[in-house]
Amino acid sequence: MKSLGLVEVSGVVAAVDALDIMCKSANVSFVTWERKLGGRLVTIIVTGDVSDVTEAVECVKRSCVTPPCASFVIANPHEETQRMVELSASRLTKTKK
């Protein structure tokens, strides 16, 4: 995991739009998503090279159906940050089974 890109948007529809924009605009991979407040706030997390993640996040800020509430790129995340993201992602894979 070279870098993480986080985008928080209002609503599931905007989250799907944001993920679509990120995956189409740069070479990033979807890691996980978190829903809070009954899905009213959704955080999408992607990974990739710092330049790709930065481009993906910037594209969402320009093009998403609703502007993001928050966005951030973490270059070279700390191992505890990686562990937290992996924990979130593991909950996603458990749901698929």
Side-chain angles (χ1 to χ4, degrees):
M1 194 179 307
K2 298 176 184 174
S3 67
L4 293 172
L6 296 90
V7 175
E8 187 171 72
V9 292
S10 180
V12 176
V13 172
V16 172
D17 183 43
L19 179 61
D20 186 60
I21 290 168
M22 286 193 281
C23 290
K24 287 178 178 176
S25 65
N27 186 24
V28 296
S29 299
F30 172 68
V31 178
T32 189
W33 68 320
E34 291 287 334
R35 292 176 294 162
K36 301 297 177 198
L37 301 173
R40 287 181 290 193
L41 285 179
V42 181
T43 304
I44 300 291
I45 303 175
V46 297
T47 188
D49 291 333
V50 177
S51 59
D52 287 325
V53 170
T54 302
E55 177 62 25
V57 170
E58 290 301 317
C59 283
V60 168
K61 289 164 67 174
R62 288 191 304 266
S63 305
C64 192
V65 66
T66 59
C69 304
S71 62
F72 199 71
V73 174
I74 303 173
N76 193 24
H78 188 273
E79 63 186 43
E80 290 299 317
T81 305
Q82 290 179 2
R83 192 170 66 82
M84 183 179 71
V85 170
E86 289 166 1
L87 176 65
S88 174
S90 71
R91 284 184 267 154
L92 182 65
T93 55
K94 286 180 186 176
T95 311
K96 287 182 180 179
K97 293 179 182 179

